Amino acid sequence: MGVIIRYLLMVTIAICLTSVECTVTGLATFYDPPYVPSACFGNQDQGNLVAGVSDDLWEGGAACGKSFEVVCTGATNQGDPQPCLGEAVTVIIVDHNPGAAAIINLSADAFATIANLDAGSVCVTVNTI
């Protein structure tokens, strides 16, 4: 990721930390169960609507247990040209995905709520709640 883009993302995150609600845009992928163990909760199951976040949203572990609302905004030209289902999903952050290109890695159930699984990855907005 370019230095300017990383800087802009970090400024956006800093603004988010000072506001009640904030929106970040980026790429979402998904992963299949099991969803434990996780970086935040070890072997304690947090359900099926969970996610891991990239370094940019991890905040040194402060993201653990936070709820984020995720909305599909478009295709990434992989798998499905119109993957979005017009829904939003609220997930609990349970894991860290260091070095990931995607800002959020959703559980398969969470991803299937907002987009066709065949897409593999989608563009999203992520709102802290």
Side-chain angles (χ1 to χ4, degrees):
M1 187 179 323
V3 173
I4 293 173
I5 294 172
R6 184 170 291 278
Y7 173 77
L8 291 174
L9 185 57
M10 295 307 289
V11 168
T12 301
I13 291 169
I15 292 169
C16 288
L17 293 175
T18 60
S19 67
V20 175
E21 184 173 315
C22 187
T23 301
V24 178
T25 60
L27 182 71
T29 55
F30 72 91
Y31 63 110
D32 292 316
Y35 303 127
V36 291
S38 68
C40 298
F41 298 100
N43 287 316
Q44 194 174 38
D45 187 10
Q46 297 299 306
N48 291 332
L49 298 179
V50 296
V53 292
S54 67
D55 295 328
D56 295 324
L57 295 177
W58 181 241
E59 300 173 15
C64 282
K66 286 188 178 178
S67 294
F68 288 176
E69 180 186 65
V70 183
V71 177
C72 179
T73 59
T76 60
N77 296 325
Q78 295 178 343
D80 187 341
Q82 296 179 342
C84 298
L85 301 176
E87 301 291 330
V89 66
T90 300
V91 295
I92 298 171
I93 303 306
V94 298
D95 226 335
H96 180 213
N97 304 115
I103 61 168
I104 194 161
N105 191 20
L106 301 168
S107 63
D109 287 342
F111 192 95
T113 301
I114 63 166
N116 184 339
L117 288 174
D118 290 338
S121 63
V122 292
C123 298
V124 294
T125 58
V126 178
N127 299 301
T128 58
I129 50 176

